[in-house]
Amino acid sequence: MSDKSLNVNIQKKLKEFDLDVDFELKKGCLGILGPSGCGKSMTLKSIAGIVNPDEGFISLNDKIFFDSSQKINLKPQKRNVGYLFQNYALFPNMTVEENIAVGVDEDDNETVSEMIKRFHLEGLEKRYPRQLSGGQQQRVALARILAYGPDVILLDEPFSAMDTFLKEQLRLELANSLKDFDGFSILVTHNRDEAFQFCDELIVLDKGKIIAKAGTYEVFENPKKVQVARLTGCKNISRIERIDDHHLKSLDWGLTLEVSKEISPNITHIGIRAHDFSQAEKDDINSFDTENSTIFEMPFEWEITLANGLWWKYDKQMGNHEFEIPKYLKVDPNNIMLLEE
């Protein structure tokens, strides 16, 4: 696997913005995280050959899919890429086994029965898509993709239209299915939990441009930019005024805070995750009072909105419906993220 790589460097003029993405994937699953309409699906469609970029190149190992300078543009059928659409795109007039057999040689019944077993579809072989649940449809679509042995699997918001219970179930199933897959996979999502669960590496896309590119843990722990912090779920973001190398004033919360990293001149904001506060004494570093806070009880946590505008989430012990907000809270200097606009 170490010498394999998927290279994508493409540009395309779109109505709202110009898409300009450049990345290399050497192993595992890459996540493309971003708001709706930022160019995520367009990137996948370009890799699959459904859409043509204006310029650039796409290659898998030594095989060139697209190269505008050499006028190479392989048809989708020649790219050996599996695309899992949001609605699964199963053929409605074909049974489960017929759908799975679509990309397989006519006399290769072994692969079809192997996929039926692997995706727990025994007993459903003769059913049509309309007779299947959302989860079963997803399994059939994945089985169909894997049956013809693709080099790359593209997953386009595969859970977007599902209720929470089904989503959790299918996330697990998809994670298990991809475990044994020896190629590359790319998951497009606007859901940070999905990105975190599935992806070894993460790209954050905004208006067609990559604004972050690193290992998934790194992007979540050190988002570097305000928009990346927002997209990875940071609820507390404030503009700042620098006092010295390690002290700043938060303009939105009215607090003076100490941070662990040096505040460079390009830092304009800070971010604090909602779970990163803890009980404090008045004189602790970065402590502040909690007077006039508002508390909401959620099924599994308490959500506290502080008078200064900060938002705190505190995990709840099941069965305990009483919670007293401590008089003072603090945030560890290590948990304050320094951000650029």
Side-chain angles (χ1 to χ4, degrees):
M1 281 294 289
S2 57
D3 57 340
K4 293 183 180 179
S5 69
L6 173 68
N7 286 280
V8 177
N9 183 344
I10 51 168
Q11 295 78 46
K12 186 172 176 67
K13 207 164 188 50
L14 302 172
K15 205 161 63 177
E16 299 81 9
F17 52 78
D18 292 349
L19 179 69
D20 185 355
V21 292
D22 178 6
F23 62 85
E24 181 181 22
L25 180 59
K26 285 186 173 294
K27 63 176 190 325
C29 183
L30 171 76
I32 303 181
L33 178 68
S36 294
C38 72
K40 303 187 301 291
S41 292
M42 192 59 75
T43 303
L44 284 200
K45 285 174 179 156
S46 300
I47 296 168
I50 300 167
V51 159
N52 297 329
D54 297 335
E55 54 187 283
F57 68 87
I58 302 165
S59 67
L60 177 65
N61 309 327
D62 302 325
K63 186 177 183 178
I64 296 170
F65 286 0
F66 175 84
D67 188 332
S68 54
S69 63
Q70 295 185 60
K71 301 210 168 7
I72 295 172
N73 189 8
L74 287 192
K75 287 189 160 65
Q77 309 84 278
K78 301 264 184 200
R79 298 191 183 200
N80 204 27
V81 167
Y83 198 121
L84 186 69
F85 292 90
Q86 286 182 18
N87 61 358
Y88 309 133
L90 296 174
F91 296 107
N93 56 342
M94 287 187 184
T95 62
V96 165
E97 59 189 358
E98 287 168 344
N99 263 289
I100 295 170
V102 162
V104 179
D105 292 340
E106 255 178 71
D107 51 355
D108 185 2
N109 296 324
E110 203 178 308
T111 300
V112 175
S113 36
E114 190 189 310
M115 287 296 152
I116 282 168
K117 261 200 209 102
R118 179 168 161 189
F119 286 93
H120 311 296
L121 295 163
E122 298 99 325
L124 303 175
E125 294 90 339
K126 305 292 180 201
R127 287 199 191 172
Y128 290 91
R130 65 178 179 277
Q131 300 169 308
L132 303 174
S133 69
Q136 289 164 341
Q137 285 182 31
Q138 189 200 64
R139 296 210 299 271
V140 175
L142 264 174
R144 181 176 67 184
I145 287 168
L146 290 177
Y148 69 81
D151 298 313
V152 183
I153 295 178
L154 306 175
L155 304 153
D156 194 353
E157 305 249 11
F159 313 108
S160 59
M162 290 173 194
D163 62 49
T164 311
F165 175 71
L166 189 56
K167 206 178 275 189
E168 292 302 324
Q169 221 177 336
L170 291 185
R171 275 188 198 166
L172 279 174
E173 287 184 13
L174 184 56
N176 288 331
S177 305
L178 290 178
K179 233 184 251 166
D180 309 325
F181 179 58
D182 190 33
F184 299 104
S185 49
I186 301 179
L187 171 76
V188 149
T189 182
H190 59 262
N191 182 301
R192 56 169 190 171
D193 294 346
E194 286 167 21
F196 193 85
Q197 181 178 4
F198 282 99
C199 307
D200 308 294
E201 291 177 57
L202 200 55
I203 281 171
V204 181
L205 211 53
D206 190 34
K207 297 193 181 93
K209 306 278 183 289
I210 292 174
I211 57 170
K213 179 164 59 169
T216 302
Y217 286 118
E218 197 186 323
V219 173
F220 274 79
E221 281 167 22
N222 185 15
K224 293 182 182 165
K225 290 188 187 301
V226 170
Q227 180 66 341
V228 180
R230 280 204 187 100
L231 287 166
T232 56
C234 183
K235 301 286 190 241
N236 299 306
I237 295 174
S238 168
R239 296 161 301 137
I240 64 144
E241 197 176 275
R242 186 180 180 277
I243 297 169
D244 60 33
D245 282 356
H246 291 279
H247 294 87
L248 54 83
K249 186 168 169 55
S250 144
L251 300 177
D252 293 288
W253 310 319
L255 299 174
T256 299
L257 297 166
E258 181 179 313
V259 297
S260 60
K261 287 182 184 155
E262 192 176 321
I263 307 160
S264 61
N266 49 341
I267 298 302
T268 57
H269 291 70
I270 53 168
I272 305 172
R273 303 273 180 202
H275 282 98
D276 280 345
F277 299 99
S278 55
Q279 192 165 336
E281 299 297 326
K282 185 179 181 180
D283 298 326
D284 288 348
I285 291 173
N286 292 348
S287 89
F288 52 90
D289 73 59
T290 61
E291 273 177 43
N292 303 319
S293 301
T294 311
I295 186 165
F296 293 100
E297 183 179 6
M298 305 303 280
F300 306 110
E301 58 197 1
W302 301 96
E303 287 184 3
I304 297 103
T305 310
L306 303 163
N308 59 16
L310 280 166
W311 204 51
W312 178 35
K313 279 186 169 191
Y314 185 73
D315 289 342
K316 189 169 93 178
Q317 305 303 313
M318 280 309 281
N320 182 5
H321 299 286
E322 298 295 322
F323 178 65
E324 201 171 311
I325 301 171
K327 198 162 180 211
Y328 294 96
L329 285 178
K330 65 179 174 185
V331 58
D332 187 311
N334 289 304
N335 288 336
I336 298 175
M337 302 181 287
L338 302 179
L339 305 169
E340 298 173 24
E341 183 69 83

